[in-house]
Amino acid sequence: MAISRSDVAQGGETPEALVLAVASGKGGTGKSFLSTNLAVALSAAGKRVTLVDCDFGLGNDHLLLGVSPTRSIQHFFRGDAILADLVVPTRHGPELLPGGSGITRLADLAEHELSALGDGLATIAVRSDVLFLDSAAGIAPQGLLTLLAAHHVVVVTHPEIAAMTDAYAVIKCLASHADRPEIDLVVNRVASAAQGEATFRKLEAVSRRFCALPLHYLGSIPEDKSITQLRLDQAPIVVSNPTSAAALAIHEIARRLGERAGGFAPRRVMRTLAQRFRQGMNPRPIP
Amino acid sequence: MISGPTIPNTVAGLRELITRDAGLLEHGLEILSEDLVLGQDNVVDVLARDAAGAPVLLFTAAPERVARLRTDLCGAHSWMGDNAEFLVRELGDSVLRADLPPRCIVVGIEFLTETLRDLQGLGGGLDVRVVQVCWMHVGGRLRVGMTDLPSSAPGVSAPGGRTMDRPAALRRTDGWQIPPGVVAPGDRKVLALFLDLLQRVDHRLGATADRFSLHVSCAGTPIVVAGLVDGRLQAQFSVDSDGGEPVRMELDATSCHTVVDRVMRHVLARFESSTYDCRTLREVASDRPANERSDPRAVTIGLQGTGQTRRGSVDRFSLEPIRRMAAEAQLSRAEISALGEDCSDA
């Protein structure tokens, strides 16, 4: 399948990680669950993966990966650390940049802080194969900015109308941007594969009709009551129960995502992650 | 309008000015004694110690002293070289350090060519600084100007291997450098880091440095002086960014970013509002075609890669387009209706 478009150049500068953002319109759709499990799955496949918890101030990826970092992105915005120094290893493979927890100030960052964040992330991107941006749910500006900086955005939704509507709102926001990333869809907590496909078809049809934007389907994750993170030391499901239907679905999603992105490898890009961050704040109109 | 007592524009007035605040001459300079006679009739107007604890002999240059100044200076310096330990015993070794060679500073309102020629011809390892001082009262406030005049060949090594540096503007194009002095190697590293960070804050920041201190100003207005105080490197802010009392902060490797952050706040608080109107900039930017808005110079300059960055140029980027994008993404009735068909039973 096609490699993501405008950002990949024939001959760029330093190769940069494939940047994948995971988004949702509504909280609780399993965005962080998917991000952490995809990151662990790719890491297990030998890729250098860094997961960035972009839900600044309300991040919980560190809980899902079973780490208790002493510092978070809060220290970066306070000027106490460079971003790369805040990245911590996890025992499940991927590295994690913790998003900070319970810090309200991080939910409303200024332009210059976000621009600096783009610079910082770019330094991490050049040393990774894949950079996952686990974005905040919704269409808050800084969440959208992280999506615009990615090569691919994986939108996670449920089959319910509320989740679909909010997921569509995210898609619609991105559709209005000339330099939007590729948008893929994952339907979580489905009763059957058919329900996932039906949900995708519904969203795809609406997206095509109102935004002239086709979507790509990566797959669905079946409802599994056992998927509840109750303990800090609980491993992601691709590790704790690799033969479960949910884990297998995640591996299938990873495979399709790899096909879509042209492999999980660094690439020479026309515009770096830092430049894409800035361009997100200075967009081109749709021709 | 002048209010309050004024300092007469005389040599006596100059003495008063210097003794009132010796730090005007050099950061950390403290007066120990006045009107000394060292050796055989060598008159020293003021004995002081610098920030490192080295003895400093201050002489005032008066027209009637032309013939004596050179003799006084050489005689007193020579005496100090022979009797420094005696002086240290008298004053206490916590006050003066005998292991540091004495320095001389000659201050004057005007210097005769003859005087300058005399001073320039001293050589012989004498560490002499010649400073022309002027002052005036403006708006009820005393303004003091200092100009370093060429004295004994700059760059001549003084005893102990120190170089006789002079206050000099540090130009970024040359790479800001710490002048050689007695600042400890560790402190030099901190100062180097401090300068490196400062260069990223704002192009209007300038710095001058003398042996012990680094004076940072923005558009000519003093912001902070970094220098030794009691042997420790500190940053003294002239006025707090919030308009409060002057602030003194320790300057070390860990606090360096915090100090620079405060410098940035000073710049933003005191200069930015008059120079940049961010709202206007955004409006102007919005009025131009978007593809012309990209300004390659408008890049974020981070403080060593942290989230603390200069704001002025970065404000050319704005989240407003994204906010508009989100606002315009409000779903229409038709969209909601199209999504509304239940697919849960599929």
Side-chain angles (χ1 to χ4, degrees):
Chain A
M1 193 57 193
I3 294 174
S4 67
R5 51 200 196 105
S6 58
D7 282 322
V8 181
Q10 295 300 315
E13 298 297 325
T14 309
E16 196 179 75
L18 170 68
V19 183
L20 302 169
V22 183
S24 70
K26 188 174 178 294
T29 56
K31 178 175 52 60
S32 294
F33 164 78
L34 181 64
S35 301
T36 51
N37 276 285
L38 279 176
V40 170
L42 293 182
S43 183
K47 301 297 178 187
R48 295 174 302 167
V49 181
T50 306
L51 174 62
V52 181
D53 193 344
C54 294
D55 199 349
F56 306 134
L58 294 169
N60 53 20
D61 285 355
H62 60 288
L63 299 174
L64 299 177
L65 287 171
V67 290
S68 304
T70 54
R71 299 194 299 172
S72 73
I73 206 160
Q74 176 194 13
H75 293 79
F76 168 75
F77 289 118
R78 276 203 326 225
D80 293 341
I82 62 172
L83 213 56
D85 287 349
L86 298 173
V87 175
V88 295
T90 70
R91 65 173 180 270
H92 303 300
E95 292 189 317
L96 173 69
L97 176 59
S101 182
I103 306 156
T104 52
R105 194 191 88 76
L106 297 185
D108 188 21
L109 294 167
E111 283 89 340
H112 69 281
E113 291 172 311
L114 290 167
S115 188
L117 175 67
D119 290 344
L121 289 178
T123 65
I124 298 172
V126 295
R127 66 179 205 194
S128 307
D129 294 326
V130 183
L131 190 69
F132 273 102
L133 304 178
D134 182 10
S135 303
I139 54 172
Q142 68 186 50
L144 287 174
L145 186 63
T146 58
L147 302 186
L148 290 169
H151 298 122
H152 281 256
V153 172
V154 179
V155 177
V156 187
T157 184
H158 285 178
E160 292 88 32
I161 180 65
M164 286 172 62
T165 306
D166 290 345
Y168 175 70
V170 172
I171 293 165
K172 189 177 179 183
C173 281
L174 296 175
S176 64
H177 201 284
D179 295 296
R180 63 174 174 268
E182 299 287 306
I183 302 174
D184 304 316
L185 196 78
V186 168
V187 186
N188 190 19
R189 302 181 73 170
V190 296
S192 64
Q195 187 185 36
E197 285 170 15
T199 304
F200 167 72
R201 281 198 301 274
K202 175 71 64 61
L203 269 170
E204 222 265 333
V206 175
S207 176
R208 275 186 187 275
R209 180 177 162 197
F210 293 97
C211 306
L213 179 69
L215 303 178
H216 302 272
Y217 187 45
L218 291 180
S220 61
I221 303 170
E223 171 80 59
D224 186 344
K225 297 294 182 191
S226 69
I227 304 174
T228 308
Q229 189 94 12
L230 297 176
R231 304 190 315 270
L232 181 62
D233 59 350
Q234 189 171 328
I237 195 163
V238 292
V239 174
S240 63
N241 194 356
T243 56
S244 65
L248 294 175
I250 288 167
H251 281 291
E252 177 60 16
I253 288 167
R255 189 188 65 76
R256 291 184 187 177
L257 189 55
E259 281 182 1
R260 288 265 299 134
F264 296 111
R267 56 215 48 220
R268 297 189 185 280
V269 291
M270 194 174 293
R271 289 174 297 130
T272 64
L273 181 58
Q275 289 169 326
R276 294 198 297 276
F277 251 83
R278 292 197 193 97
Q279 190 163 35
M281 290 186 277
N282 189 9
R284 289 190 301 121
I286 292 179
Chain B
M1 180 180 167
I2 297 173
S3 60
T6 60
I7 299 175
N9 204 29
T10 61
V11 173
L14 175 62
R15 275 282 299 270
E16 185 187 340
L17 186 73
I18 298 303
T19 51
R20 184 188 286 185
D21 186 3
L24 287 169
L25 273 177
E26 184 180 285
H27 176 78
L29 198 66
E30 289 178 32
I31 291 177
L32 303 176
S33 185
E34 294 181 61
D35 296 319
L36 304 176
V37 177
L38 303 180
Q40 292 185 337
D41 302 331
N42 302 312
V43 177
V44 177
D45 295 305
V46 175
L47 172 66
R49 54 159 288 185
D50 66 21
V56 178
L57 306 175
L58 281 172
F59 301 87
T60 50
E64 63 272 16
R65 200 183 181 184
V66 172
R68 283 291 307 172
L69 183 60
R70 181 183 165 117
T71 310
D72 283 344
L73 195 149
C74 291
H77 188 274
S78 173
W79 185 92
M80 284 293 296
D82 296 335
N83 300 280
E85 291 187 358
F86 163 76
L87 205 59
V88 168
R89 275 201 306 276
E90 287 294 306
L91 297 170
D93 54 8
S94 61
V95 178
L96 275 183
R97 285 175 57 183
D99 58 324
L100 296 176
R103 294 191 292 127
C104 301
I105 300 178
V106 181
V107 293
I109 303 168
E110 289 178 327
F111 285 88
L112 299 176
T113 308
E114 187 183 348
T115 306
L116 281 177
R117 197 181 300 129
D118 272 356
L119 293 173
Q120 286 166 352
L122 283 172
L126 273 176
D127 187 347
V128 184
R129 181 183 167 201
V130 182
V131 185
Q132 187 172 26
V133 185
C134 64
W135 64 93
M136 64 183 73
H137 291 80
V138 181
R141 294 183 61 189
L142 179 67
R143 307 273 180 175
V144 182
M146 306 248 176
T147 308
D148 273 65
L149 301 177
S151 60
S152 49
V156 174
S157 290
R162 290 190 298 158
T163 304
M164 298 194 298
D165 45 284
R166 299 284 173 267
L170 304 177
R171 291 186 300 160
R172 289 160 204 249
T173 49
D174 300 338
W176 282 357
Q177 300 283 330
I178 310 298
V182 294
V183 177
D187 288 340
R188 291 180 63 80
K189 282 185 183 173
V190 173
L191 272 178
L193 172 64
F194 184 54
L195 281 171
D196 183 46
L197 296 176
L198 280 176
Q199 290 181 76
R200 308 171 190 212
V201 172
D202 194 286
H203 69 279
R204 290 165 295 175
L205 280 181
T208 58
D210 55 31
R211 187 183 302 271
F212 300 112
S213 58
L214 181 77
H215 300 251
V216 179
S217 58
C218 184
T221 303
I223 298 284
V224 64
V225 177
L228 288 172
V229 177
D230 297 329
R232 290 157 65 188
L233 199 57
Q234 297 201 341
Q236 170 84 52
F237 285 85
S238 54
V239 181
D240 187 64
S241 59
D242 301 324
E245 291 298 308
V247 174
R248 180 179 286 181
M249 300 169 74
E250 293 284 334
L251 187 58
D252 53 36
T254 52
S255 67
C256 207
H257 283 88
T258 310
V259 174
V260 174
D261 177 61
R262 186 174 281 272
V263 171
M264 186 167 65
R265 288 170 199 276
H266 272 265
V267 172
L268 292 174
R270 298 172 67 184
F271 303 97
E272 204 73 345
S273 58
S274 60
T275 309
Y276 295 113
D277 182 339
C278 298
R279 188 167 53 86
T280 308
L281 269 176
R282 280 186 201 141
E283 286 167 358
V284 169
S286 301
D287 290 338
R288 293 167 56 197
N291 57 358
E292 291 179 16
R293 273 185 247 147
S294 179
D295 181 353
R297 294 167 300 175
V299 294
T300 307
I301 300 178
L303 298 182
Q304 284 247 321
T306 73
Q308 297 292 335
T309 59
R310 56 182 288 201
R311 192 179 68 180
S313 61
V314 178
D315 270 345
R316 294 168 194 227
F317 298 107
S318 169
L319 285 174
E320 275 310 310
I322 295 184
R323 289 197 181 96
R324 277 201 304 273
M325 196 164 82
E328 290 164 5
Q330 189 173 5
L331 271 55
S332 67
R333 190 178 296 272
E335 287 170 309
I336 294 170
S337 176
L339 285 166
E341 292 174 30
D342 187 11
C343 59
S344 59
D345 296 330

